[in-house]
Amino acid sequence: AFFPAYPSQERRRVCHLSEPVGMSPLGIAQTRKKPLQWTKVDDLAQYKVGVVEAYANEDRFDQLMQQGIIKTSSSETDVDNLISLAKGKVDAAVIDSQVFDWLLRNEPRLKPYRNSLQMNQRLLVTWPLYVCFRRDSEGAAQRDQFNAGLSTLREKMLATSAPAEKPASPKRR
């Protein structure tokens, strides 16, 4: 199995997907000096966009990318993608906004670019995150076992986060 997986058409075809285990706000990183202007995915065709190789993005974006309508440049990692953006090799980079924030705070190679990069205010999509299990009977069984454990964990978390009952007010005489 691997994690995280977006519920793209490709992932649904090759994986037994678990129940969702989180959310991924997928957006566009840009430079502060050249913010992107777009309202729908098709508008991104005017830009060269950095993507991470083998990542699913947003369905329409991936379709336009495969058709060559959106011009892209592939990197092996989000860090490499952001460095390409900072150096002007691409106009934008597709990235989860939480990953973007974490990388800018913690990745030493991005330190010189912290003040020059930002997320575009518009998101491509907010994906639920899944664990992708092999698409065979063993993978299905592992997914079912994982989902059962996830359900138990969620029940325990709900039980411990439930507000305590309010004590009864003393009666006045």
Side-chain angles (χ1 to χ4, degrees):
F2 71 86
F3 174 84
Y6 294 154
S8 68
Q9 293 174 0
E10 170 69 9
R11 295 293 185 252
R12 290 184 191 284
R13 189 177 62 74
V14 300
C15 299
H16 286 297
L17 295 175
S18 69
E19 291 296 318
V21 293
M23 299 300 286
S24 174
L26 189 66
I28 302 285
Q30 61 191 11
T31 61
R32 291 186 189 278
K33 289 184 179 178
K34 293 183 181 178
L36 276 63
Q37 303 297 319
W38 66 287
T39 54
K40 59 186 187 303
V41 173
D42 297 62
D43 296 339
L44 296 173
Q46 63 187 304
Y47 303 107
K48 185 173 184 182
V49 183
V51 296
V52 176
E53 213 171 286
Y55 278 14
N57 300 295
E58 186 272 343
D59 289 338
R60 177 73 178 153
F61 181 93
D62 286 346
Q63 178 186 29
L64 294 173
M65 180 177 69
Q66 289 167 357
Q67 294 171 353
I69 295 170
I70 293 180
K71 304 294 184 241
T72 60
S73 174
S74 295
S75 295
E76 289 187 22
T77 69
D78 284 312
V79 173
D80 293 337
N81 217 10
L82 291 174
I83 290 171
S84 290
L85 172 62
K87 291 183 174 184
K89 295 178 181 179
V90 294
D91 302 308
V94 177
I95 189 169
D96 175 303
S97 62
Q98 297 169 87
V99 171
F100 174 86
D101 290 340
W102 190 91
L103 287 173
L104 282 189
R105 281 192 316 272
N106 297 288
E107 173 54 50
R109 293 186 297 155
L110 293 175
K111 186 176 182 178
Y113 310 114
R114 287 182 184 154
N115 295 322
S116 63
L117 300 177
Q118 67 182 11
M119 288 298 294
N120 186 277
Q121 65 185 16
R122 185 175 305 281
L123 291 176
L124 283 169
V125 65
T126 298
W127 285 120
L129 294 173
Y130 300 88
V131 177
C132 171
F133 293 90
R134 280 193 325 258
R135 188 114 182 127
D136 59 20
S137 59
E138 184 180 350
Q142 290 171 337
R143 179 219 39 218
D144 294 345
Q145 186 177 13
F146 178 85
N147 285 345
L150 188 60
S151 178
T152 300
L153 179 62
R154 286 183 174 148
E155 288 170 12
K156 287 180 180 181
M157 288 174 65
L158 284 173
T160 59
S161 67
E165 284 190 38
K166 200 174 184 180
S169 299
K171 292 185 181 179
R172 292 189 175 215
R173 295 183 195 220

